[in-house]
Amino acid sequence: MDAKINKIKSWNIHSARKTYGVKDWSNGYFDINEQGDVAIMDPQHSESNAVPLMKIIEGMQDRELQMPVLLRIENILDQSISDLNETFRRVIKRVGYDNEYRGVYPIKVNQQAQIVEEIAHFGSRYQHGFEVGSKAEMIAALSTLENIDSMIICNGYKDQEFIELGLEATKLGYKCVFVVETLTELPIIVERSRALNIRPHIGVRVKMTSKISGHWGATSGERSVFGLSSRQLIEAVDYLKETQFLDCLQLLHCHLGSQIPNIRDIRMGVVEACRYYADLCKEGAALAYIDLGGGLAVDYTGKQSSSDQSRNYTLEEYCEDIVDTIKSTLDEANLPHPTIVTESGRATVAYTSVLLFNVLDVNRFDASAVPDEVASEHELLKNMREVIGYLKPQRLQECYNDAVYYRDEVRELFKRGHIDLRMRSIAENLYLTILHSIKDMLADMPRVPEELAAITASLADIYYGNFSLFQSLPDSWAIDQLFPIMPIHRLDEEPTRRSILADITCDCDGKIERFVVDQQIENTLPLHAPKLNEEYYLGVFLVGAYQETLGDLHNLFGDTNVVSVRLNADSSFEFVKEVHGDSIADVLSYVEYQPREMQMRFRNKVEAAVKEERITAKERQQMMNTFNASLQGYTYYEKETIAEQQSRIAV
Ligand SMILES: *Cc1c(COP(=O)(O)O)cnc(C)c1O
């Protein structure tokens, strides 16, 4: 048992809140109820009761929606959008800023139709628009936006077709802005606008020199691959002047990067943006919008600090810093206040999705009872037994060194055939016994030497979760992104195990070994020992941003089931949408297999076996049924047996 858990005398839900930091990262959307379940706090009906996730899982079971499931909570998305808009509105009023805020959602952050449609819907009352980076996203934006007064910000490289789509949107009435990222786009915009006789809205993306900290810092700075340098900006202005399009240059765009943890960097970026803004106005541009891009961070660790996966500011402070800085900088330059645009993606969608999965198996590294010494026992094993005798807190390092030395010697002799498998197994068991004793003694020590600290992690359990890291949490694998992970039930019970998580891909990279526990980053997560005949469920939170469409088909695990719920004022909830995840046939066809042909080939194989009298026709049919049911099945671990599945399909 770990030191920290030991010290908590009697466990209750407050201990659970503290251990898993629920209040720190959940933004008020999740909490632990008196029964020890994680519950969704309905942000829109604060007077109603929270809805336990376990209750939603029961509903999924009734609908035969198997784990893993990506759960989306509509109310949270709705609330995130209104929080962003309302906070800007409030701050603008308080500061006396003389213009308004317009938000746009960058579709790349989560392109799933359901999310984009919900944002268009919930955002329409705020004229919340979209940021698009490709023709495909442009088409998604045009077909889903509900409010014609919403903005469409077009970033990325734009060919003629992209520009024509944007000009049509402008004609329809949308405030569609072409943000120029390279000079080659300008002549196409000018030429197509003339040809279609539409005055375009043009923006310029500037290259920021303000350096920011955090993982995405490289997006900014001189070598950033995006945006125009000051030299190119002047060239653009001159070109637009020459072609008589300078009055169309209305928006200044800058994007410092995603997940900016430090408010100081945001302020510095805004100051630099304002300088560009003021001087472009001086050059005769009719600027009326300042677009600060994304960057509003999510506090994944809940530490409220300027470290990588956190943020040292609130939404209120973010808005205040932006509005305040623009106001004071432009007042000084005697310029009217522009409309403020931001492109918050991560902070808008992260909270709305939770990945839920069950634990399939646990691998423990406990020592079993040490068998009594036998006369013929090898000297090395006797030495190991002696180590157990002289173990005490003052000699832990020495004992550890001895144990490692003897174990390695035993392994060496085993290789050379001097020690047999049974003896080696006793030695390994003695080794584990010593390590567990050391770990227990370390728990009571104020300071633990680094080398010994690794012992605790090395003895941690491995919990196998029914999910694919590569499909559902790609950033956890690719960039060591931390997500809050915790059991979603039994939290009134003390979690007595320490463990790491492995997924079912059997890939050695498919594991999670970094967690936020008690505000510290630790290598293991406190979990409960699973009970016999009872599922144990974990939730990974804040997974709505960047995870869903970055995922890959590692080991051909496909999309998970997705369930969307909406909470009602009377504490009830409804399943508003469900999307069944990929079947095995689906994922096979993604990599160019043809399931029909595979069925045919398998059929020929088993039919040949019948002909050769290796199997009966009845057995053949059984094989075919199993094969076909598998093809139609879920790619993840299913609790239902194939026979059950067949009878279900047969009905
Ligand atoms: C990715 C991106 C965003 C979104 O940034 P978040 O940090 O997720 O809010 C906004 N604007 C541009 C141009 C981007 O490339």
Side-chain angles (χ1 to χ4, degrees), residues 106 108-109 131 155 205 255 258-259 294-295 343-346 546:
K108 72 149 195 257
V109 181
E131 184 265 355
N155 285 317
R205 180 162 180 178
H255 171 63
S258 197
Q259 183 69 16
E343 305 174 347
S344 276
R346 186 185 296 275
Y546 296 104

Side-chain angles (χ1 to χ4, degrees), residues 4-25 31-34 36 486-487 490-496 498 516-519 525-528:
K4 289 201 189 73
I5 295 177
N6 250 339
K7 274 180 215 133
I8 296 166
K9 283 289 176 286
S10 65
W11 179 273
N12 56 34
I13 59 162
H14 301 291
S15 335
R17 277 195 187 119
K18 187 163 170 297
T19 299
Y20 299 107
V22 184
K23 298 259 186 203
D24 301 329
W25 54 257
D31 197 4
I32 300 172
N33 67 14
E34 290 301 322
M486 63 182 292
R490 295 177 60 186
L491 291 158
D492 51 345
E493 217 182 287
E494 182 173 352
T496 53
R498 277 286 186 157
V516 179
V517 181
D518 246 328
Q519 297 217 318
L525 181 70
L527 290 175
H528 304 89

Side-chain angles (χ1 to χ4, degrees), residues 8 37 78 83 132 141 144 163 210 227 239 255 265 337 340 379 388 423 443 465 482 493 563 611 640 643 649:
I8 296 166
D37 286 331
D78 195 350
D83 275 351
V132 301
T144 49
I163 285 161
S210 299
Y239 179 82
H255 171 63
D265 291 338
H337 300 163
I340 299 172
E379 202 57 33
I388 299 175
M423 277 302 137
L482 282 161
E493 217 182 287
V563 170
K611 202 166 139 206
E640 190 184 31
I649 290 169

Side-chain angles (χ1 to χ4, degrees), residues 160-180:
Q160 188 164 322
E161 200 172 61
F162 196 158
I163 285 161
E164 276 174 18
L165 277 170
L167 288 170
E168 303 290 359
T170 307
K171 202 171 195 172
L172 255 178
Y174 287 110
K175 189 88 192 177
C176 178
V177 184
F178 300 116
V179 178
V180 174

